Amino acid sequence: MLKICVFFAGLLLIGALPKEELHKDRVIDRELSDKEHFENEQHNLQYDLDGFTGCLRPISSIIVTKIDNNSDGFISREELKDWIRYTQKRYISDDVNRQWKQHNLEDTTTLSWNTYQKLVYGFLDENALHNPVSDEEKTYVGMMKRDRRRWSVADPDGDDELTKEEFSFFLHPEEHDHMRDIVVQETMEDIDKDGDGKISIDEYIGDMYRPQEGDEEPDWVKNEKFQFTSYRDKNGNGVLDENEVKNWILPDDFDHADAEARHLIYEADQDADEQLTKDEVLNRYDLFVGSQATDFGEALARHDEF
């Protein structure tokens, strides 16, 4: 039964609407919901959501128990914050391990730039490397040069080879203080379309929103413009320089785990006691599954490790 629930959860987590032929593969010993699965030959998502809730309860209890460190039956903000930090570290560790195995085929203690370049960009011939012609070639050469620069920053001893720890610097520079300048530089290059070394409000909004002709500007865009002029642009000169961009994307005093924990409790805490019960989490499973910070959806698939 539990395996069927995990499979069922997986279908919803990836946003897939089960085809009629897949329905017969999810055979269980009772009706999932009092809703009709198909209404007027149209798939009824509420049937699946009700079924998901029924399946989710035992798995959710396992996860919530794991988050509840002191086993008092409640999830505090500190416990939720600790869980978020744990899942973030686990994601990074898993990603580094996976990519290290993928790129370090000979299982050596270091990975050279030449080896990495051949594996990732080996499809580019010498002509494309030195004189890219097509837009596709120019894009990939640009990506390679960007990787090369980041590789050098991640390589503090300058031997052009990365240990597994240094490879983590390369893959997740935002997590390491000595790599943060390269994150800011890459962000500037992505958004600064005219190459003047500054980000205008049009470039700032254009990175997030490209309106179609006749579209009315959404409220969130108006809010972002307000954020730009009132908070991002510290000196009020109408553009963001590197320091202002760094303060925007990597603020020193901002705790992402704490901010996400506060948000989740605010949204799910039905009795406003500043902590969550299992039922409160279950009642807002959509919120937790949709949160990348909690990795709740991934934890459903990995429940066996608990």
Side-chain angles (χ1 to χ4, degrees), residues 103 112-132 135-153 160 162 170 182 186 189-190:
H103 293 98
S112 71
W113 167 254
N114 286 337
T115 298
Y116 179 84
Q117 179 186 5
K118 287 177 183 177
L119 283 171
V120 178
Y121 300 105
F123 59 90
L124 294 171
D125 59 28
E126 287 297 318
N127 288 333
L129 285 173
H130 299 290
N131 186 31
D135 289 341
E136 184 178 30
E137 287 178 344
K138 291 177 181 178
T139 296
Y140 281 116
V141 169
M143 290 169 59
M144 186 187 69
K145 290 180 177 179
R146 183 161 163 156
D147 274 358
R148 185 68 176 99
R149 182 180 61 196
R150 187 193 289 189
W151 185 282
S152 297
V153 178
D160 222 18
L162 301 186
F170 172 76
I182 199 70
E186 291 175 0
E189 291 172 350
D190 288 339

Side-chain angles (χ1 to χ4, degrees), residues 36 38 51-52 57 60 103 139 203 221 231 257 265 293:
E36 290 296 327
F38 289 87
F52 184 39
R57 186 172 290 276
S60 175
H103 293 98
T139 296
E203 290 170 332
V221 173
Y231 300 105
I265 289 179

Side-chain angles (χ1 to χ4, degrees), residues 10 15 27 39 46 76 99 104 112 138 186 195 208 239 258 305:
V27 178
E39 294 179 349
Q46 188 60 47
S76 67
Q99 295 212 47
N104 187 13
S112 71
K138 291 177 181 178
E186 291 175 0
M208 300 178 282
V239 293
D258 185 60
E305 73 184 38

Side-chain angles (χ1 to χ4, degrees), residues 96-106 164 167:
V96 171
N97 287 334
R98 177 181 59 82
Q99 295 212 47
W100 182 257
K101 291 179 181 179
Q102 179 182 341
H103 293 98
N104 187 13
L105 301 178
E106 297 183 3
K164 193 173 184 179
F167 193 56

Side-chain angles (χ1 to χ4, degrees), residues 8 14 46 81 104 165 173 182 202 229 236 244 248 270:
F8 189 23
I14 63 175
Q46 188 60 47
K81 185 167 61 175
N104 187 13
E165 181 185 24
I182 199 70
D202 289 338
T229 56
E244 289 168 329
W248 161 38
Q270 295 174 323

